[in-house]
Amino acid sequence: MLIYLPKLSEQKSSLTSSKKPSSFRQKYQFWLMLLTAFIILQLPFISIPFKWLESYFHEISHGLTALLTGGSIVKIQLFPNGAGLCTTRGGSSFLISLMGYGGAILWGCLLFSLASVHRRVAQAFSILLVALFLASILLWVRDLLTLFIVLVLLGLVLAQLKYSSQKYLQMLLQMTGLLVLINSLMSPLYLLDGQARGDGAALADITYIPELIWVLLWFFVGLFATYKLSKVSFIIKRKD
Amino acid sequence: MQVYNSANLVSQAPIALGNNSSVQAQEQRARVTARETLNSEESQNQKSQADVETRQRLDIDEQAIALIERELPSAYGKNNSQQSNQQNSFNSAYDSPSNQNKLAVATYQSVDNIAQRDNIEQVFGVDLFA
């Protein structure tokens, strides 16, 4: 029986060669993924489901905040242009208004960071998302258009679960998280249209703090979250 | 007309047998009346021919008018449509408001939307978050 043992020099060289590209990958993978996500969002048809996903997370954040603050969700509506509407009863108006854009940023961060932790965690989080979509359809969707949009999103997550190996599932979920994050980073800027409507205007009515301040707050929170994710992803990669 | 004349002649014949001078005079009268009738017939014929001719002329004119009418509306219609298109484009170009005006209208409508939203919120006791 012959056992091939590599020489010490060979071992050293193989170690150094495997370390160098991995460290480069670890350093720049997040920014490359962010760039890819940004490019995907510029594509005409491919970007549409991801805009719907951000819109869904935005509205479900309003709704979940209403539930957490003692209110209830009456219905959730989604529109093909990426707009949405959450009808609630009761709860804290301030927190519900604040958590639309804030919640979408949180969902983006959660998607990316949980997908980065472990493959099993990514899988479990995908199943949790499927459950959330199903609950939304059963409890809060009242019209066919919203039903169609949520079914498309459900199909997207199910396809990610079924047709990708666990390694790619992790990467796909990370990418989805970044897409949601970029969308939620940019979407508050649409409120700067000179028309007093939307969550910024609602918060301005409640607090007498101008809409612009709220928009800037959401934008910079989104930027800060992106920066933090880049650091977290680098640490997780190094641990692997 | 001819039948009528012959009847006259037949009715006047017994009188002519009794007196030659009167017969001659009657013959002359008859000739005169016959000529008059012939003349009148000819003039009537001429009139009827003239009428027919005039009718034919009118027919021709009607055809020509029909042809003109057929041709003119298309040409006129084309011109009209072109003119109307031009006018429409001109009007639409004229009517398209500036961005500033669009923003003003949208702002005005958004005020109405806010009022509608407030009404819905008050009636149903719900909050709307976009």
Side-chain angles (χ1 to χ4, degrees):
Chain A
M1 191 177 168
L2 285 168
I3 299 168
Y4 171 73
L5 288 168
K7 287 178 188 173
L8 195 65
S9 59
E10 278 179 355
Q11 279 181 332
K12 270 188 179 175
S13 67
S14 69
L15 273 172
T16 49
S17 64
S18 68
K19 255 196 173 178
K20 266 190 178 175
S22 70
S23 65
F24 177 82
R25 198 166 60 94
Q26 281 167 8
K27 257 190 175 178
Y28 296 106
Q29 191 184 5
F30 176 82
W31 299 108
L32 281 172
M33 282 178 78
L34 196 74
L35 184 70
T36 312
F38 192 78
I39 290 165
I40 287 170
L41 285 177
Q42 309 307 313
L43 300 174
F45 291 105
I46 298 164
S47 64
I48 291 170
F50 299 107
K51 282 178 182 167
W52 291 348
L53 193 66
E54 191 271 332
S55 181
Y56 173 79
F57 283 133
H58 178 105
E59 301 310 328
I60 203 71
S61 300
H62 279 311
L64 292 176
T65 312
L67 289 176
L68 288 172
T69 54
S72 62
I73 305 171
V74 177
K75 65 174 176 178
I76 287 174
Q77 284 174 282
L78 298 173
F79 303 99
N81 62 352
L85 197 67
C86 181
T87 309
T88 61
R89 188 181 283 121
S92 164
S93 294
F94 172 75
L95 286 175
I96 296 168
S97 298
L98 187 70
M99 285 308 286
Y101 292 105
I105 293 167
L106 274 180
W107 277 105
C109 291
L110 205 66
L111 260 170
F112 185 88
S113 49
L114 287 179
S116 307
V117 170
H118 198 268
R119 288 163 198 171
R120 289 282 174 197
V121 177
Q123 204 172 16
F125 191 68
S126 297
I127 292 164
L128 189 79
L129 273 181
V130 170
L132 188 66
F133 286 134
L134 287 173
S136 303
I137 288 168
L138 285 172
L139 299 171
W140 306 307
V141 171
R142 296 277 185 278
D143 61 301
L144 285 173
L145 192 62
T146 309
L147 179 69
F148 170 75
I149 292 171
V150 177
L151 282 174
V152 168
L153 298 178
L154 181 67
L156 194 77
V157 177
L158 282 175
Q160 281 185 355
L161 260 174
K162 195 176 181 183
Y163 295 108
S164 60
S165 64
Q166 286 189 345
K167 187 185 173 185
Y168 288 115
L169 172 71
Q170 214 177 346
M171 193 181 266
L172 279 171
L173 274 179
Q174 282 177 332
M175 183 60 83
T176 310
L178 284 180
L179 284 162
V180 171
L181 189 65
I182 292 172
N183 256 323
S184 53
L185 190 72
M186 302 306 288
S187 52
L189 300 177
Y190 294 118
L191 294 176
L192 299 173
D193 56 355
Q195 298 174 29
R197 56 181 179 184
D199 294 343
L203 282 169
D205 282 343
I206 295 165
T207 60
Y208 300 106
I209 296 169
E211 186 184 11
L212 179 70
I213 302 295
W214 295 108
V215 172
L216 289 175
L217 180 75
W218 284 315
F219 182 72
F220 284 112
V221 165
L223 272 183
F224 180 71
T226 312
Y227 170 74
K228 273 287 175 190
L229 276 187
S230 71
K231 294 285 175 194
V232 167
S233 72
F234 183 64
I235 291 163
I236 290 166
K237 290 281 172 192
R238 282 186 75 180
K239 275 181 183 174
D240 287 344
Chain B
M1 293 294 282
Q2 283 176 349
V3 174
Y4 177 70
N5 284 339
S6 63
N8 278 343
L9 287 169
V10 171
S11 63
Q12 287 165 1
I15 303 162
L17 286 169
N19 195 355
N20 282 334
S21 61
S22 64
V23 167
Q24 283 176 349
Q26 282 177 353
E27 280 178 352
Q28 281 178 349
R29 281 178 197 163
R31 281 174 194 162
V32 168
T33 52
R35 277 176 196 164
E36 283 174 356
T37 53
L38 278 169
N39 285 335
S40 66
E41 277 180 3
E42 281 175 358
S43 66
Q44 281 180 351
N45 282 333
Q46 282 174 353
K47 276 182 184 175
S48 64
Q49 278 179 352
D51 283 343
V52 169
E53 280 174 6
T54 51
R55 276 177 197 166
Q56 281 175 346
R57 274 178 207 160
L58 281 170
D59 285 342
I60 290 161
D61 287 341
E62 281 172 1
Q63 284 173 358
I65 288 163
L67 275 170
I68 290 162
E69 280 176 350
R70 274 181 212 159
E71 286 171 4
L72 268 177
S74 57
Y76 186 68
K78 278 177 191 171
N79 286 333
N80 260 353
S81 62
Q82 282 172 354
Q83 280 177 351
S84 62
N85 283 337
Q86 283 173 352
Q87 279 178 345
N88 280 336
S89 62
F90 180 73
N91 285 339
S92 62
Y94 177 75
D95 285 339
S96 63
S98 66
N99 285 331
Q100 199 178 358
N101 290 346
K102 279 179 185 171
L103 183 67
V105 170
T107 310
Y108 176 75
Q109 285 174 341
S110 73
V111 172
D112 193 37
N113 289 339
I114 290 165
Q116 277 182 346
R117 177 181 278 195
D118 287 343
N119 276 336
I120 290 166
E121 287 181 357
Q122 280 175 0
V123 170
F124 295 102
V126 294
D127 301 310
L128 299 172
F129 298 96

